[in-house]
């Protein structure tokens, strides 16, 4: 278990407890520890368990203001003690690690027989899904299960598929009948801001027979499916979806 207490200017803000082997910190709401401050980068920091070294490591994700441990700015992977404090600007995250994670914790709800099998997702390490830590067995970001901000009546469903966002190394669970792509906090799949990025650009609808329909929400809007521009498609396992510079992979669970 990982216990994390967030402080701002010396005042305790919130306490988190995680039974998982990797957590992320950043300004985006899908982070495990979201910090809504412009001094924190969208994907600021990750804390991951290294199975080979049997220890937790912190990695700054090229954040603007950096991350400090014991007064020193970290670069690459920095091994953490059983109790440690991470500092960025006016924020402090006090960590306590209570034992090694189990393979079930590592998978965070995805069924694998062992940590090493987590690399077998159908996406190669060349695609940058895996972390720079080189551990391989535990190098994926898993997003939090977000509640719908658009319509409380949207049906939540069992998770049978995922969307893997490659640029920031995030895995989103497809856990509702309707989910949207866009660059706002109201969207389920975050698209990097850019010339063409906007709110609610496309909708992913899960049918009763577990078909996955992705369609643009504007008459002229298009995205790329496996390199071809389309505005509507049924997704198949391992399809590549592009919105501008944002690249996603559609992945069926346990396939």
């Amino acid at each position: 278990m990982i216990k994390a207490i967030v402080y701002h200017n010396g005042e305790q803000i919130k306490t988190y407890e995680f039974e998982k082997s990797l957590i992320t910190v950043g300004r985006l709401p899908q982070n495990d520890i979201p910090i809504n401050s412009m001094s924190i980068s969208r994907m600021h920091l990750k804390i991951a368990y290294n199975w080979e070294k049997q220890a937790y490591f912190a990695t700054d994700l090229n954040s603007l203001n950096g991350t400090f441990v014991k007064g020193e700015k970290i670069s690459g992977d920095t091994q953490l003690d059983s109790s440690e404090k991470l500092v960025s600007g006016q924020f402090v995250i006090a960590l306590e690690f209570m034992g090694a994670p189990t393979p079930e914790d590592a998978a965070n709800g995805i069924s694998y027989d062992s940590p090493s099998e987590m690399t077998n997702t159908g996406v190669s390490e060349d695609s940058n899904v895996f972390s720079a830590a080189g551990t391989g067995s535990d190098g994926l970001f898993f997003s939090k299960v977000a509640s719908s901000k658009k319509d409380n009546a949207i049906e939540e469903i069992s998770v049978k598929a995922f969307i893997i966002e490659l640029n920031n190394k995030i895995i989103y669970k497809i856990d509702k009948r309707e989910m949207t792509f866009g660059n706002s906090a109201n969207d389920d799949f975050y698209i990097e801001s850019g010339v063409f990025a906007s709110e609610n650009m496309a909708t992913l609808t899960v049918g009763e027979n577990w078909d996955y329909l992705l369609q643009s929400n504007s008459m002229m809007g298009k995205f790329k499916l496996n390199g071809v521009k389309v505005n509507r498609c049924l997704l198949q396992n391992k399809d590549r979806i592009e919105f501008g510079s944002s690249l996603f992979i559609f992945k069926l669970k346990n396939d």
Side-chain angles (χ1 to χ4, degrees), residues 98-163:
M98 293 167 277
T102 66
E104 289 78 14
D105 294 338
N108 192 28
I110 303 177
S111 298
Y112 293 95
D113 292 333
S114 65
S116 63
E117 293 184 33
M118 294 183 67
T119 60
N120 186 24
T121 61
V123 183
S124 69
E125 292 188 63
D126 293 336
S127 63
N128 296 322
V129 174
F130 295 91
S131 71
T135 60
S137 62
D138 192 27
L140 294 171
F141 291 175
F142 289 82
S143 69
K144 296 166 62 180
V145 179
S147 60
S148 172
K149 304 178 183 64
K150 301 180 288 300
D151 184 352
N152 290 331
I154 291 178
E155 179 187 355
E156 294 187 0
I157 58 176
S158 60
V159 177
K160 295 183 179 293
F162 304 87
I163 292 288

Side-chain angles (χ1 to χ4, degrees), residues 177 179 203-207 211-215 232-235:
R177 288 290 178 188
M179 304 179 74
T203 298
L204 175 62
T205 303
V206 183
D211 51 351
Y212 296 83
L213 173 65
L214 178 61
Q215 55 188 341
R232 178 186 172 93
C233 66
L234 283 175
L235 294 177

Side-chain angles (χ1 to χ4, degrees), residues 83-111:
S83 296
E84 198 70 86
K85 291 183 179 179
L86 307 181
V87 180
S88 183
Q90 301 302 313
F91 290 91
V92 175
I93 302 175
L95 297 168
E96 184 177 354
F97 304 110
M98 293 167 277
T102 66
E104 289 78 14
D105 294 338
N108 192 28
I110 303 177
S111 298

Side-chain angles (χ1 to χ4, degrees), residues 25-27 35-42 44 65 88-89 91:
V25 180
R27 199 168 70 246
I35 300 178
N36 188 18
S37 170
M38 292 304 295
S39 67
I40 301 296
S41 296
R42 289 175 297 177
H44 192 101
N65 294 319
S88 183
F91 290 91

